Amino acid sequence: MSDQLKLDTFICFAVYTAGHAFNRVYKPLLDELGLTYPQYLAMVCLWEEDGQTVGGLGEKLFLESSTLTPLLKRLETAGYIRRERSSKDERVVLLRLTEEGKRLQERAETVPGCIIDASGRDTDQLARLQAEIVALREALNRSASSS
Amino acid sequence: MSDQLKLDTFICFAVYTAGHAFNRVYKPLLDELGLTYPQYLAMVCLWEEDGQTVGGLGEKLFLESSTLTPLLKRLETAGYIRRERSSKDERVVLLRLTEEGKRLQERAETVPGCIIDASGRDTDQLARLQAEIVALREALNRSASSS
DNA sequence: GTCATTTATATCGCACACGACTGATTATCG
DNA sequence: CGATAATCAGTCGTGTGCGATATAAATGAC
Protein backbone atom coordinates (compact mmCIF):
# COMPACT_ATOMS: atom_id res chain seq x y z
CA MET A 1 0.00 0.00 0.00
CA SER A 2 1.72 3.15 -1.24
CA ASP A 3 1.11 6.68 0.00
CA GLN A 4 -2.13 6.53 -2.00
CA LEU A 5 -4.93 5.45 0.30
CA LYS A 6 -6.39 2.13 -0.72
CA LEU A 7 -9.91 3.47 -0.25
CA ASP A 8 -9.24 6.08 -2.91
CA THR A 9 -8.80 3.34 -5.51
CA PHE A 10 -12.17 1.69 -4.84
CA ILE A 11 -14.59 2.37 -7.67
CA CYS A 12 -17.49 1.68 -5.30
CA PHE A 13 -16.24 4.49 -3.08
CA ALA A 14 -15.93 6.83 -6.05
CA VAL A 15 -19.54 6.07 -6.99
CA TYR A 16 -20.72 6.39 -3.39
CA THR A 17 -19.10 9.79 -2.88
CA ALA A 18 -20.05 11.03 -6.37
CA GLY A 19 -23.67 10.30 -5.43
CA HIS A 20 -23.30 12.47 -2.33
CA ALA A 21 -21.65 15.18 -4.43
CA PHE A 22 -24.59 15.20 -6.87
CA ASN A 23 -26.92 15.52 -3.91
CA ARG A 24 -25.07 18.57 -2.64
CA VAL A 25 -25.31 20.25 -6.05
CA TYR A 26 -28.99 19.40 -6.42
CA LYS A 27 -30.01 20.45 -2.92
CA PRO A 28 -30.23 24.25 -3.38
CA LEU A 29 -31.95 23.81 -6.75
CA LEU A 30 -34.51 21.34 -5.45
CA ASP A 31 -35.13 23.30 -2.25
CA GLU A 32 -36.70 25.92 -4.53
CA LEU A 33 -39.14 23.29 -5.77
CA GLY A 34 -39.82 21.78 -2.36
CA LEU A 35 -38.42 18.41 -3.44
CA THR A 36 -35.75 16.07 -2.17
CA TYR A 37 -33.52 14.36 -4.72
CA PRO A 38 -35.36 11.00 -4.71
CA GLN A 39 -38.66 12.87 -4.88
CA TYR A 40 -37.33 14.77 -7.89
CA LEU A 41 -36.44 11.49 -9.62
CA ALA A 42 -39.95 10.18 -8.97
CA MET A 43 -41.44 13.36 -10.41
CA VAL A 44 -39.20 13.18 -13.50
CA CYS A 45 -40.45 9.64 -14.00
CA LEU A 46 -44.08 10.74 -13.67
CA TRP A 47 -43.58 13.74 -15.97
CA GLU A 48 -42.42 11.24 -18.58
CA GLU A 49 -45.45 9.02 -18.05
CA ASP A 50 -48.40 9.96 -15.90
CA GLY A 51 -50.59 7.31 -14.28
CA GLN A 52 -47.86 4.79 -13.47
CA THR A 53 -48.22 2.22 -10.70
CA VAL A 54 -46.08 2.10 -7.54
CA GLY A 55 -44.48 -1.12 -8.75
CA GLY A 56 -43.79 0.28 -12.21
CA LEU A 57 -42.15 3.36 -10.75
CA GLY A 58 -40.11 1.14 -8.42
CA GLU A 59 -38.77 -0.88 -11.35
CA LYS A 60 -37.62 2.26 -13.14
CA LEU A 61 -36.07 3.82 -10.03
CA PHE A 62 -34.75 0.50 -8.66
CA LEU A 63 -36.57 1.13 -5.36
CA GLU A 64 -38.76 -1.08 -3.17
CA SER A 65 -42.32 -0.25 -2.20
CA SER A 66 -41.10 0.15 1.37
CA THR A 67 -39.06 3.12 0.16
CA LEU A 68 -41.53 4.48 -2.36
CA THR A 69 -44.75 4.40 -0.34
CA PRO A 70 -43.66 6.97 2.28
CA LEU A 71 -41.97 9.10 -0.40
CA LEU A 72 -45.10 9.12 -2.54
CA LYS A 73 -47.24 10.00 0.45
CA ARG A 74 -45.05 13.05 0.99
CA LEU A 75 -45.45 14.03 -2.66
CA GLU A 76 -49.20 13.65 -2.20
CA THR A 77 -49.14 15.77 0.97
CA ALA A 78 -47.13 18.37 -0.96
CA GLY A 79 -49.95 18.43 -3.51
CA TYR A 80 -47.93 17.22 -6.50
CA ILE A 81 -49.56 13.81 -7.03
CA ARG A 82 -52.67 11.81 -6.17
CA ARG A 83 -52.58 8.12 -5.20
CA GLU A 84 -55.65 6.15 -6.13
CA ARG A 85 -56.46 2.45 -6.19
CA SER A 86 -57.06 1.03 -9.64
CA SER A 87 -60.67 -0.02 -10.18
CA LYS A 88 -59.53 -2.83 -12.47
CA ASP A 89 -57.15 -4.30 -9.88
CA GLU A 90 -57.67 -3.14 -6.35
CA ARG A 91 -54.16 -4.19 -5.35
CA VAL A 92 -52.64 -1.58 -7.62
CA VAL A 93 -52.15 2.09 -6.73
CA LEU A 94 -52.05 4.52 -9.65
CA LEU A 95 -50.00 7.70 -9.39
CA ARG A 96 -51.45 10.77 -11.08
CA LEU A 97 -49.96 14.24 -11.33
CA THR A 98 -52.06 17.08 -9.99
CA GLU A 99 -52.23 20.36 -11.90
CA GLU A 100 -49.67 21.72 -9.48
CA GLY A 101 -47.48 18.69 -10.14
CA LYS A 102 -47.65 19.33 -13.88
CA ARG A 103 -46.85 23.01 -13.43
CA LEU A 104 -43.80 22.07 -11.37
CA GLN A 105 -42.22 20.55 -14.49
CA GLU A 106 -41.82 24.00 -16.03
CA ARG A 107 -40.12 25.33 -12.92
CA ALA A 108 -37.82 22.30 -12.97
CA GLU A 109 -36.71 22.77 -16.55
CA THR A 110 -33.60 24.74 -15.65
CA VAL A 111 -32.31 22.07 -13.26
CA PRO A 112 -30.60 19.65 -15.70
CA GLY A 113 -28.63 22.48 -17.28
CA CYS A 114 -27.34 23.56 -13.85
CA ILE A 115 -26.16 20.04 -13.14
CA ILE A 116 -24.37 19.78 -16.48
CA ASP A 117 -22.65 23.11 -15.77
CA ALA A 118 -21.60 21.92 -12.32
CA SER A 119 -20.11 18.76 -13.79
CA GLY A 120 -17.71 20.85 -15.86
CA ARG A 121 -18.13 18.46 -18.79
CA ASP A 122 -19.79 18.66 -22.17
CA THR A 123 -22.81 16.56 -23.03
CA ASP A 124 -20.80 14.10 -25.15
CA GLN A 125 -18.41 13.35 -22.33
CA LEU A 126 -21.30 12.98 -19.91
CA ALA A 127 -23.23 10.69 -22.25
CA ARG A 128 -20.21 8.42 -22.69
CA LEU A 129 -19.48 8.27 -18.95
CA GLN A 130 -23.18 7.75 -18.24
CA ALA A 131 -23.28 4.76 -20.58
CA GLU A 132 -20.24 3.22 -18.91
CA ILE A 133 -21.75 3.61 -15.45
CA VAL A 134 -25.04 2.11 -16.62
CA ALA A 135 -23.16 -0.86 -18.08
CA LEU A 136 -21.35 -1.31 -14.77
CA ARG A 137 -24.66 -1.12 -12.90
CA GLU A 138 -26.17 -3.79 -15.14
CA ALA A 139 -23.20 -6.10 -14.56
CA LEU A 140 -23.51 -5.63 -10.79
CA ASN A 141 -27.25 -6.22 -10.85
CA ARG A 142 -26.80 -9.41 -12.89
CA SER A 143 -24.22 -10.61 -10.39
CA ALA A 144 -26.39 -9.77 -7.37
CA SER A 145 -29.47 -11.49 -8.75
CA SER A 146 -27.61 -14.64 -9.81
CA SER A 147 -25.97 -15.29 -6.45
CA MET B 1 -38.49 12.97 -25.85
CA SER B 2 -38.09 9.72 -27.77
CA ASP B 3 -39.04 6.26 -26.56
CA GLN B 4 -35.90 6.47 -24.40
CA LEU B 5 -36.89 7.71 -20.96
CA LYS B 6 -35.28 11.03 -20.15
CA LEU B 7 -34.40 9.75 -16.68
CA ASP B 8 -32.26 7.04 -18.23
CA THR B 9 -29.98 9.69 -19.72
CA PHE B 10 -29.26 11.43 -16.41
CA ILE B 11 -25.74 10.72 -15.26
CA CYS B 12 -26.78 11.52 -11.70
CA PHE B 13 -29.38 8.76 -11.91
CA ALA B 14 -26.79 6.32 -13.27
CA VAL B 15 -24.51 7.13 -10.34
CA TYR B 16 -27.38 6.94 -7.84
CA THR B 17 -28.53 3.52 -9.04
CA ALA B 18 -24.99 2.20 -9.48
CA GLY B 19 -24.44 3.02 -5.81
CA HIS B 20 -27.46 0.91 -4.89
CA ALA B 21 -26.22 -1.88 -7.14
CA PHE B 22 -22.84 -1.90 -5.36
CA ASN B 23 -24.66 -2.09 -2.07
CA ARG B 24 -26.58 -5.16 -3.20
CA VAL B 25 -23.37 -6.92 -4.23
CA TYR B 26 -21.60 -5.99 -0.99
CA LYS B 27 -24.46 -6.92 1.31
CA PRO B 28 -24.02 -10.72 1.47
CA LEU B 29 -20.23 -10.35 1.75
CA LEU B 30 -20.41 -7.78 4.54
CA ASP B 31 -23.14 -9.65 6.39
CA GLU B 32 -20.49 -12.30 7.04
CA LEU B 33 -18.34 -9.64 8.73
CA GLY B 34 -21.21 -8.03 10.63
CA LEU B 35 -20.69 -4.73 8.84
CA THR B 36 -22.85 -2.39 6.79
CA TYR B 37 -21.34 -0.81 3.69
CA PRO B 38 -20.61 2.60 5.30
CA GLN B 39 -19.18 0.79 8.34
CA TYR B 40 -16.95 -1.22 6.00
CA LEU B 41 -15.66 1.99 4.40
CA ALA B 42 -14.87 3.38 7.85
CA MET B 43 -13.01 0.19 8.77
CA VAL B 44 -11.03 0.25 5.50
CA CYS B 45 -10.02 3.81 6.34
CA LEU B 46 -8.94 2.78 9.85
CA TRP B 47 -7.06 -0.28 8.59
CA GLU B 48 -5.07 2.12 6.44
CA GLU B 49 -4.34 4.41 9.37
CA ASP B 50 -5.20 3.61 12.95
CA GLY B 51 -5.81 6.36 15.50
CA GLN B 52 -7.57 8.85 13.24
CA THR B 53 -9.94 11.49 14.57
CA VAL B 54 -13.67 11.64 13.83
CA GLY B 55 -13.15 14.78 11.78
CA GLY B 56 -10.25 13.27 9.85
CA LEU B 57 -12.27 10.20 8.99
CA GLY B 58 -15.16 12.41 7.93
CA GLU B 59 -12.95 14.33 5.53
CA LYS B 60 -11.79 11.14 3.86
CA LEU B 61 -15.28 9.63 3.67
CA PHE B 62 -17.00 12.97 2.89
CA LEU B 63 -19.33 12.47 5.87
CA GLU B 64 -20.46 14.77 8.67
CA SER B 65 -19.95 14.07 12.37
CA SER B 66 -23.72 13.74 12.65
CA THR B 67 -23.48 10.69 10.39
CA LEU B 68 -20.23 9.30 11.73
CA THR B 69 -20.83 9.51 15.47
CA PRO B 70 -23.73 7.01 15.55
CA LEU B 71 -21.97 4.75 13.02
CA LEU B 72 -18.77 4.74 15.08
CA LYS B 73 -20.72 4.00 18.24
CA ARG B 74 -22.11 0.91 16.51
CA LEU B 75 -18.60 -0.16 15.50
CA GLU B 76 -17.56 0.31 19.12
CA THR B 77 -20.53 -1.73 20.36
CA ALA B 78 -19.58 -4.43 17.83
CA GLY B 79 -16.13 -4.49 19.44
CA TYR B 80 -14.14 -3.39 16.39
CA ILE B 81 -12.96 0.03 17.58
CA ARG B 82 -12.51 2.12 20.73
CA ARG B 83 -13.38 5.84 20.90
CA GLU B 84 -11.28 7.86 23.30
CA ARG B 85 -10.83 11.58 23.91
CA SER B 86 -7.39 12.88 23.05
CA SER B 87 -5.47 14.02 26.12
CA LYS B 88 -3.73 16.71 24.08
CA ASP B 89 -7.00 18.21 22.83
CA GLU B 90 -10.10 17.25 24.76
CA ARG B 91 -12.34 18.25 21.86
CA VAL B 92 -10.96 15.47 19.68
CA VAL B 93 -12.03 11.82 19.74
CA LEU B 94 -9.44 9.30 18.56
CA LEU B 95 -10.53 6.08 16.87
CA ARG B 96 -8.46 3.01 17.64
CA LEU B 97 -8.84 -0.51 16.28
CA THR B 98 -9.33 -3.27 18.84
CA GLU B 99 -7.55 -6.60 18.35
CA GLU B 100 -10.81 -7.94 16.97
CA GLY B 101 -11.00 -4.99 14.61
CA LYS B 102 -7.50 -5.73 13.33
CA ARG B 103 -8.28 -9.42 12.88
CA LEU B 104 -11.35 -8.47 10.84
CA GLN B 105 -9.07 -7.09 8.13
CA GLU B 106 -7.86 -10.58 7.27
CA ARG B 107 -11.40 -11.88 6.93
CA ALA B 108 -12.22 -8.90 4.71
CA GLU B 109 -9.34 -9.51 2.31
CA THR B 110 -11.42 -11.50 -0.15
CA VAL B 111 -14.08 -8.79 -0.50
CA PRO B 112 -12.45 -6.48 -3.10
CA GLY B 113 -11.83 -9.41 -5.43
CA CYS B 114 -15.48 -10.41 -5.27
CA ILE B 115 -16.52 -6.88 -6.20
CA ILE B 116 -14.14 -6.78 -9.14
CA ASP B 117 -15.52 -10.11 -10.34
CA ALA B 118 -19.08 -8.85 -10.01
CA SER B 119 -18.24 -5.76 -12.06
CA GLY B 120 -17.33 -7.96 -15.03
CA ARG B 121 -14.42 -5.66 -15.82
CA ASP B 122 -10.67 -5.91 -15.58
CA THR B 123 -8.67 -3.77 -13.17
CA ASP B 124 -7.45 -1.42 -15.92
CA GLN B 125 -10.96 -0.62 -17.07
CA LEU B 126 -12.06 -0.13 -13.49
CA ALA B 127 -9.12 2.14 -12.68
CA ARG B 128 -9.84 4.31 -15.70
CA LEU B 129 -13.56 4.56 -14.93
CA GLN B 130 -12.79 5.18 -11.27
CA ALA B 131 -10.52 8.10 -12.16
CA GLU B 132 -13.21 9.63 -14.36
CA ILE B 133 -15.82 9.38 -11.62
CA VAL B 134 -13.44 10.90 -9.07
CA ALA B 135 -12.76 13.79 -11.45
CA LEU B 136 -16.51 14.29 -11.84
CA ARG B 137 -16.94 14.23 -8.07
CA GLU B 138 -14.24 16.86 -7.64
CA ALA B 139 -15.89 19.12 -10.21
CA LEU B 140 -19.23 18.76 -8.45
CA ASN B 141 -17.73 19.43 -5.03
CA ARG B 142 -15.96 22.53 -6.33
CA SER B 143 -19.23 23.77 -7.77
CA ALA B 144 -21.21 23.05 -4.59
CA SER B 145 -18.72 24.80 -2.32
CA SER B 146 -18.39 27.87 -4.54
CA SER B 147 -22.11 28.60 -4.76
C1' DG C 1 -66.49 -22.81 -6.55
C1' DT C 2 -62.97 -23.40 -2.89
C1' DC C 3 -58.42 -23.29 -1.29
C1' DA C 4 -53.49 -22.42 -1.99
C1' DT C 5 -50.41 -19.47 -4.23
C1' DT C 6 -48.96 -15.36 -6.18
C1' DT C 7 -48.99 -10.40 -6.62
C1' DA C 8 -49.22 -5.41 -5.12
C1' DT C 9 -48.79 -2.32 -1.73
C1' DA C 10 -48.02 -1.05 2.98
C1' DT C 11 -45.88 -1.35 7.76
C1' DC C 12 -42.09 -1.81 10.90
C1' DG C 13 -37.35 -1.76 12.54
C1' DC C 14 -32.79 -0.49 11.64
C1' DA C 15 -29.10 2.19 9.61
C1' DC C 16 -27.52 5.89 7.05
C1' DA C 17 -27.12 11.08 5.68
C1' DC C 18 -27.54 15.85 6.38
C1' DG C 19 -28.75 20.53 8.29
C1' DA C 20 -29.36 23.11 12.38
C1' DC C 21 -28.08 23.46 16.72
C1' DT C 22 -25.62 22.56 21.40
C1' DG C 23 -21.86 22.12 24.69
C1' DA C 24 -17.25 21.77 25.72
C1' DT C 25 -12.64 22.98 24.66
C1' DT C 26 -9.10 25.53 22.48
C1' DA C 27 -7.23 29.47 19.96
C1' DT C 28 -6.97 34.35 19.17
C1' DC C 29 -6.93 39.10 19.74
C1' DG C 30 -7.10 43.37 22.11
C1' DC D 1 -5.22 38.26 30.91
C1' DG D 2 -9.83 38.00 29.65
C1' DA D 3 -13.52 38.32 26.28
C1' DT D 4 -14.54 36.49 21.92
C1' DA D 5 -14.21 33.51 18.13
C1' DA D 6 -13.25 29.15 16.13
C1' DT D 7 -13.20 24.13 16.42
C1' DC D 8 -14.76 19.48 17.46
C1' DA D 9 -17.93 16.02 18.48
C1' DG D 10 -22.53 15.05 19.54
C1' DT D 11 -27.87 15.49 19.47
C1' DC D 12 -32.18 16.05 17.15
C1' DG D 13 -35.50 16.06 13.36
C1' DT D 14 -36.51 14.70 8.65
C1' DG D 15 -36.11 11.78 4.77
C1' DT D 16 -34.38 8.01 2.45
C1' DG D 17 -33.28 2.80 1.70
C1' DC D 18 -33.94 -2.05 2.59
C1' DG D 19 -35.30 -6.66 4.59
C1' DA D 20 -38.87 -9.00 6.89
C1' DT D 21 -43.42 -9.21 7.41
C1' DA D 22 -48.49 -8.18 6.89
C1' DT D 23 -52.75 -7.61 4.39
C1' DA D 24 -55.73 -7.62 0.74
C1' DA D 25 -56.81 -8.86 -3.87
C1' DA D 26 -56.27 -11.67 -7.91
C1' DT D 27 -54.98 -16.02 -10.00
C1' DG D 28 -54.58 -20.98 -10.53
C1' DA D 29 -55.39 -25.87 -9.51
C1' DC D 30 -58.52 -29.19 -8.87
Side-chain angles (χ1 to χ4, degrees):
Chain A
M1 200 146 59
S2 65
D3 58 343
Q4 173 77 340
L5 284 183
K6 203 170 121 225
L7 189 63
D8 285 344
T9 68
F10 284 17
I11 190 166
C12 61
F13 181 63
V15 170
Y16 169 79
T17 52
H20 294 166
F22 269 117
N23 237 304
R24 277 190 285 276
V25 174
Y26 267 109
K27 179 122 200 346
L29 302 169
L30 297 182
D31 278 351
E32 306 261 325
L33 307 177
L35 293 174
T36 65
Y37 178 63
Q39 288 169 8
Y40 169 71
L41 294 178
M43 290 300 291
V44 168
C45 218
L46 289 172
W47 288 329
E48 287 165 358
E49 183 187 342
D50 199 357
Q52 294 187 68
T53 67
V54 173
L57 196 64
E59 266 186 50
K60 286 180 182 162
L61 297 175
F62 299 88
L63 294 175
E64 304 298 320
S65 72
S66 50
T67 301
L68 274 179
T69 297
L71 184 153
L72 294 168
K73 283 184 176 178
R74 285 179 205 111
L75 286 178
E76 187 174 41
T77 302
Y80 294 142
I81 65 169
R82 286 194 317 276
R83 297 159 59 247
E84 42 191 50
R85 291 272 163 191
S86 163
S87 54
K88 297 206 202 314
D89 184 341
E90 288 282 342
R91 293 172 304 180
V92 168
V93 168
L94 297 173
L95 307 168
R96 302 204 185 280
L97 292 167
T98 61
E99 287 310 309
E100 200 182 340
K102 289 174 188 169
R103 275 196 299 274
L104 192 64
Q105 183 174 15
E106 294 161 31
R107 289 210 288 143
E109 263 168 8
T110 57
V111 172
C114 297
I115 302 302
I116 291 171
D117 288 349
S119 77
R121 272 142 188 78
D122 63 42
T123 50
D124 282 352
Q125 285 177 302
L126 286 176
R128 199 183 39 69
L129 186 51
Q130 191 265 355
E132 283 196 80
I133 297 169
V134 166
L136 173 63
R137 178 188 74 197
E138 297 310 315
L140 293 170
N141 280 339
R142 274 194 302 278
S143 168
S145 62
S146 71
S147 62
Chain B
M1 199 148 58
S2 66
D3 58 346
Q4 173 77 340
L5 285 183
K6 204 169 119 227
L7 190 63
D8 284 344
T9 67
F10 283 18
I11 191 165
C12 61
F13 181 63
V15 170
Y16 170 78
T17 54
H20 294 167
F22 269 117
N23 237 305
R24 277 190 284 276
V25 175
Y26 267 109
K27 179 117 195 1
L29 302 170
L30 297 183
D31 279 350
E32 307 262 326
L33 307 178
L35 293 175
T36 65
Y37 178 62
Q39 286 169 11
Y40 168 71
L41 294 178
M43 290 302 291
V44 168
C45 218
L46 288 173
W47 288 329
E48 288 166 357
E49 184 187 342
D50 199 357
Q52 294 187 70
T53 67
V54 173
L57 196 64
E59 265 186 50
K60 287 180 181 161
L61 298 176
F62 299 89
L63 294 175
E64 304 297 320
S65 73
S66 50
T67 301
L68 275 179
T69 297
L71 184 153
L72 294 168
K73 283 184 177 178
R74 284 177 209 113
L75 286 178
E76 186 174 41
T77 302
Y80 294 142
I81 65 169
R82 286 195 317 276
R83 298 159 58 247
E84 44 193 48
R85 292 271 163 194
S86 164
S87 54
K88 295 208 203 312
D89 184 343
E90 289 282 343
R91 293 171 302 181
V92 168
V93 167
L94 297 173
L95 308 168
R96 302 205 184 277
L97 292 166
T98 62
E99 286 311 309
E100 201 182 340
K102 290 174 187 168
R103 276 196 300 275
L104 192 64
Q105 183 174 16
E106 294 162 32
R107 290 211 287 142
E109 262 168 9
T110 56
V111 171
C114 296
I115 302 302
I116 292 171
D117 288 350
S119 77
R121 272 145 187 78
D122 63 41
T123 49
D124 282 353
Q125 285 177 301
L126 287 176
R128 200 182 39 70
L129 186 52
Q130 191 265 355
E132 283 195 81
I133 297 169
V134 166
L136 174 63
R137 178 189 73 198
E138 296 311 314
L140 293 169
N141 279 339
R142 272 194 304 276
S143 168
S145 62
S146 72
S147 63

